[in-house]
Amino acid sequence: MKTSSNLRLPKNTPDLRRIGHFLLKFSRLAAACLIWTGLSAVPVFAAPLQEPVQDPASCSLLLSRLDLEKPGLEKVKAAVNHPEIAAAELLAFYRSRTSVKHPVDRSQKGASRGNCASNNDLETADQALKHIFVGQPAYPPHFCGEEINWGSRPVPDNEWVWQLNRMYFWDAMALAYWHTGDEKYAQEWCYQLTDWVRKNPRDEAHGYAWRSIEAGIRGYRWTGLFQRFIDSPAFTPAVLVSFLNSCYDHASYLMTRYTKGSNWALMEAEGMAFIAFTFPEFKAAGSWKEEAISRLNQEIENQVYPDGHQRELAIGYHLGCIGWFDRTLELAKMNGLEHAFPPSYRSTIEKMCEVPLKLGMPDGSNTQFGDSWKGNPGQNWGNLKRWAKTFGRDDFLYVATEGKEGKKPAETAFALDKSGLYSLRSGWDKNDICLVLKCGPDGGGHCQPDNGTFELYAGGRHLMPDAGSYIYSGDPVNRAWFRQTKVHQTLTLDEKNTSYAPRLLLWQPGAKLDVLVVENAGYPDLTHRRALFFVDRKYFVIVDEAFGEGNGNVDIHFQFAPGAASFDHQQLTARTAFEEGWNVLVQTVAQDGLKMEEEEGQVSFLYTKKEPRPAFRYRLRKETRGVRFVTVVAPYSGEAPDIKVKIMGKPEIGGSRLSLKVSENGRSKRIGYDFSTN
Ligand code: CA
């Protein structure tokens, strides 16, 4: 859509800017007048709007893209030689259409007054009215100009401009509109929508706006925005023409972009599906729908391991993928097309929904493996509560309600053996101990070379969180730092990064002892075997063996939560030093040549935010076929436990048998493994 105005306004004059928007929007409009609402200086229409004159070429283009034989489009078809009338008829059609169902139900507009926007939505929306936009939300909102520059780059991080072009703030404006009933949100959205469409043709100069995931995200979100704004008087036939032509461009583009094997494919398909389902009047809608559904059916096979985890092995993306798979299924269901998805599609989604129960921390937050953030306590519980209902799962409900409702999960140890993610917990209370270990295949760009690493939580505290990922773009040095193998709780040779070559040797959960043995052949000439014993559901014994021809400095690394820590290099112990609540003790068994050294530690719990933390390693010089570390990791409250471990006999490093005698405060028992008979 084109605007005819060449109006340019002086900078930094908000009142004039508002008038400018108004004039730009309705510069051809003869009979409208303004009154001012005092302080807010937002125009309010005193007279009913007349329809702005259409751009006939855009109208005709749109009409050529629609199947005018569809029932309900008779009047549009009759006016096909008068595009402006046809556009008005098309708008009338959409306002009265009831055949298409969408998760945003237009009939709820009135009932949503006063109860659908959060304070944060309202603030975001009010800022957006002033063109102060949220891009990547870790950075401050940014004023993108009276004349909006959709390519604004206030920070070096490209994520900002990419996310600007997802326009999440439009969703806030839509919610603010329904919440307050104030037409200013609809007027401004209609202005911004047509402005964006006009300024962002899909060409090389506008690549920032047209990565396929932004296109997919918009395709999905815009259909919801359509539902929220179409009943506003500001949503004119001209807005409809601009909007629908852009939807057509989005879906046509997404047909040509298919990023197989990645979460991108799901956003691409979702955008296409939502446009196709919401606007079946497009001639191409059937083929868009078919392609989108076919991709989702294909990708759920490609991307989800039989154990339920999405193949990129980062929990945030896993949770995102549940939404991407599920929303189109729900939309299809609403519109009578559920049969396009086989029953296995839904059961796979259910399996995916088990993952935050199995691998989530007892406080309802998550591990930070790969590009992930632990999030707030309880952040999994809303999802689990919803899925409890969807899938009739009492165990989801139990965890989501902190045991107030539902039924306690029968197990406390879970192996996702294809993903290489394992959890061991002492129970289902939020103060219970929980350790999650990762030793899986390469999950691609959101995965880190961290095989063997683990996170430990106890007594409501993330005692040994993963470092996280800090940033995606614009700071390659720090991004690389967080991705290093040696900043994970695992073994390295000469501090080099490992590759992914995982193997599960033993998974043996039990009431008094859980045993997990994994290997990662992470170097061409060195394999790391890690045996993890969860003894009496109280403490862990970790036996690390490194074997192969590779020689050099073999380290095992550990990192604590931010805060004070104490190190005893003589006793080879390190512990957190929280005055209240739970701590963790790490102690390795002494051996010749073993050194304990502190290391640089960082952890990031929020995008672009990081903080120092205690970190250390135990180092052995490997000059023979193998080395072995035997280490206790014991969470505790009050006094540190006295735990001693002794290797029985002389087991071969990398061999099939291992036997240890452990004693805790004087009580001893034998633990070990023997897979020689397997
Ligand atoms: Ca990590």
Side-chain angles (χ1 to χ4, degrees):
M1 198 188 91
K2 292 172 182 167
T3 60
S4 62
S5 173
N6 291 318
L7 192 74
R8 287 288 177 272
L9 293 163
K11 301 282 177 196
N12 304 319
T13 50
D15 289 3
L16 280 174
R17 197 173 80 228
R18 302 308 313 178
I19 298 167
H21 290 167
F22 175 77
L23 292 175
L24 282 166
K25 273 179 270 187
F26 304 110
S27 57
R28 296 178 185 173
L29 182 62
C33 64
L34 290 172
I35 56 169
W36 292 95
T37 57
L39 291 175
S40 67
V42 168
V44 170
F45 299 98
L49 281 173
Q50 294 180 9
E51 296 299 343
V53 173
Q54 299 293 316
D55 168 359
S58 295
C59 293
S60 296
L61 179 63
L62 175 61
L63 295 175
S64 75
R65 291 167 163 178
L66 300 175
D67 176 4
L68 300 180
E69 302 304 322
K70 290 257 185 211
L73 292 177
E74 295 81 3
K75 288 180 180 169
V76 181
K77 188 186 172 194
V80 75
N81 293 321
H82 304 280
E84 297 161 29
I85 299 171
E89 290 293 352
L90 188 63
L91 179 60
F93 163 78
Y94 278 117
R95 284 191 175 143
S96 62
R97 187 186 69 172
T98 55
S99 54
V100 168
K101 307 290 180 219
H102 190 279
V104 178
D105 180 357
R106 283 165 57 208
S107 72
Q108 295 303 303
K109 184 180 177 186
S112 300
R113 184 71 64 87
N115 61 30
C116 74
S118 66
N119 287 339
N120 189 44
D121 293 327
L122 293 170
E123 191 185 327
T124 302
D126 287 342
Q127 295 270 71
L129 292 179
K130 295 183 253 173
H131 301 183
I132 299 168
F133 296 139
V134 178
Q136 209 298 338
Y139 302 98
H142 178 72
F143 174 56
C144 290
E146 295 156 19
E147 186 65 51
I148 300 169
N149 175 6
W150 296 101
S152 296
R153 290 168 190 265
V155 292
D157 187 345
N158 281 332
E159 287 290 335
W160 200 93
V161 69
W162 290 331
Q163 296 197 27
L164 174 73
N165 284 276
R166 298 173 190 174
M167 290 84 89
Y168 293 130
F169 46 88
W170 283 0
D171 296 279
M173 287 165 74
L175 290 170
Y177 176 46
W178 276 26
H179 186 91
T180 63
D182 193 329
E183 287 294 329
K184 70 183 177 187
Y185 298 108
Q187 288 158 10
E188 180 62 25
W189 179 76
C190 290
Y191 166 72
Q192 291 186 11
L193 179 272
T194 52
D195 186 69
W196 185 90
V197 171
R198 183 170 57 82
K199 290 176 180 167
N200 288 285
R202 192 170 61 72
D203 58 23
E204 273 185 30
H206 300 87
Y208 61 81
W210 285 99
R211 293 196 314 170
S212 61
I213 55 168
E214 274 74 45
I217 290 168
R218 288 194 299 265
Y220 159 61
R221 290 178 174 263
W222 284 20
T223 62
L225 296 168
F226 175 85
Q227 295 291 95
R228 300 229 187 244
F229 287 123
I230 187 180
D231 296 305
S232 162
F235 201 115
T236 61
V239 173
L240 181 71
V241 169
S242 170
F243 177 84
L244 285 180
N245 271 329
S246 190
C247 284
Y248 178 92
D249 292 342
H250 277 76
S252 310
Y253 168 57
L254 291 168
M255 283 290 276
T256 69
R257 297 296 298 269
Y258 181 6
T259 315
K260 289 182 186 174
S262 144
N263 67 80
W264 283 41
L266 312 187
M267 285 178 263
E268 291 157 356
E270 182 182 50
M272 206 157 42
F274 269 74
I275 292 171
F277 273 98
T278 312
F279 305 110
E281 297 79 16
F282 281 117
K283 285 174 188 163
S287 60
W288 297 339
K289 197 181 291 182
E290 198 178 318
E291 176 68 12
I293 290 170
S294 151
R295 288 187 195 178
L296 289 169
N297 278 323
Q298 185 62 54
E299 289 304 311
I300 206 163
E301 300 283 332
N302 291 350
Q303 292 194 30
V304 185
Y305 289 117
D307 59 34
H309 209 296
Q310 196 261 355
R311 60 166 293 280
E312 291 173 87
L313 302 181
I315 188 68
Y317 289 93
H318 174 83
L319 296 170
C321 288
I322 293 174
W324 291 312
F325 284 124
D326 187 48
R327 282 191 294 265
T328 299
L329 174 64
E330 288 303 310
L331 183 67
K333 220 188 273 182
M334 291 175 121
N335 289 285
L337 211 65
E338 190 184 358
H339 63 271
F341 295 92
S344 63
Y345 187 89
R346 189 176 185 271
S347 59
T348 301
I349 293 175
E350 180 177 353
K351 195 91 182 158
M352 293 179 82
C353 294
E354 292 174 357
V355 170
L357 176 142
K358 292 174 174 173
L359 303 182
M361 288 298 175
D363 68 350
S365 65
N366 289 308
T367 54
Q368 300 211 118
F369 302 134
D371 285 337
S372 291
W373 288 267
K374 74 181 173 70
N376 295 318
Q379 75 159 29
N380 284 334
W381 292 336
N383 280 334
L384 284 170
K385 206 176 232 176
R386 202 155 38 81
W387 298 331
K389 204 176 272 178
T390 308
F391 298 108
R393 294 285 297 256
D394 284 347
D395 52 347
F396 289 3
L397 186 62
Y398 183 91
V399 174
T401 60
E402 297 182 70
K404 292 184 195 74
E405 295 171 56
K407 191 159 171 268
K408 192 188 284 195
E411 295 159 302
T412 54
F414 299 98
L416 278 63
D417 58 347
K418 291 290 178 290
S419 312
L421 286 157
Y422 308 88
S423 70
L424 305 166
R425 65 186 78 220
S426 59
W428 289 99
D429 186 86
K430 74 174 168 199
N431 289 315
D432 270 309
I433 298 167
C434 178
L435 184 150
V436 183
L437 183 141
K438 177 167 179 276
C439 188
D442 185 355
H446 291 301
C447 193
Q448 297 174 347
D450 55 3
N451 272 351
T453 197
F454 65 90
E455 280 205 23
L456 175 68
Y457 169 108
R461 185 168 274 156
H462 292 255
L463 289 164
M464 301 171 109
D466 186 274
S469 60
Y470 179 62
I471 202 162
Y472 280 15
S473 160
D475 187 348
V477 171
N478 272 309
R479 177 153 178 86
W481 190 93
F482 281 84
R483 295 180 64 79
Q484 299 173 99
T485 305
K486 70 175 183 181
V487 306
H488 293 88
Q489 304 202 106
T490 190
L491 180 143
T492 58
L493 174 63
D494 290 332
E495 303 183 56
K496 288 178 292 194
N497 284 347
T498 55
S499 58
Y500 306 88
R503 190 155 80 102
L504 172 63
L505 279 79
L506 182 65
W507 171 250
Q508 200 174 73
K512 288 282 174 192
L513 180 69
D514 298 313
V515 186
L516 168 65
V517 186
V518 291
E519 269 181 16
N520 191 50
Y523 300 102
D525 53 1
L526 194 80
T527 292
H528 173 207
R529 177 183 294 180
R530 173 161 274 185
L532 178 69
F533 302 91
F534 188 21
V535 183
D536 296 330
R537 297 193 176 169
K538 286 168 78 175
Y539 62 93
F540 300 88
V541 177
I542 300 175
V543 181
D544 290 298
E545 296 178 336
F547 49 91
E549 297 306 311
N551 287 333
N553 288 325
V554 174
D555 301 330
I556 52 171
H557 308 266
F558 297 93
Q559 302 96 32
F560 290 154
S566 65
F567 297 91
D568 184 333
H569 293 254
Q570 244 47 57
Q571 295 297 315
L572 302 171
T573 63
R575 68 187 76 187
T576 58
F578 294 106
E579 286 179 12
E580 299 288 326
W582 283 63
N583 283 290
V584 61
L585 163 75
V586 178
Q587 176 168 29
T588 203
V589 174
Q591 51 184 307
D592 287 347
L594 188 143
K595 281 188 295 186
M596 179 182 180
E597 291 164 325
E598 289 177 46
E599 294 188 298
E600 181 190 5
Q602 298 280 346
V603 61
S604 171
F605 295 120
L606 295 168
Y607 193 80
T608 72
K609 304 275 187 292
K610 59 184 174 126
E611 53 192 306
R613 59 154 165 183
F616 62 99
R617 67 179 173 229
Y618 298 114
R619 169 168 288 185
L620 280 170
R621 183 79 197 166
K622 178 177 176 295
E623 287 161 340
T624 56
R625 195 184 165 273
V627 294
R628 175 191 285 130
F629 300 87
V630 177
T631 312
V632 171
V633 175
Y636 64 94
S637 68
E639 288 297 303
D642 175 18
I643 299 166
K644 293 195 169 53
V645 186
K646 188 166 180 262
I647 297 171
M648 307 305 287
K650 287 190 186 320
E652 184 195 353
I653 289 173
S656 55
R657 271 177 290 206
L658 183 75
S659 179
L660 305 168
K661 183 177 157 192
V662 293
S663 55
E664 180 212 353
N665 297 331
R667 287 184 307 134
S668 66
K669 65 195 296 178
R670 294 285 278 268
I671 61 173
Y673 58 76
D674 181 353
F675 32 82
S676 59
T677 54
N678 291 352

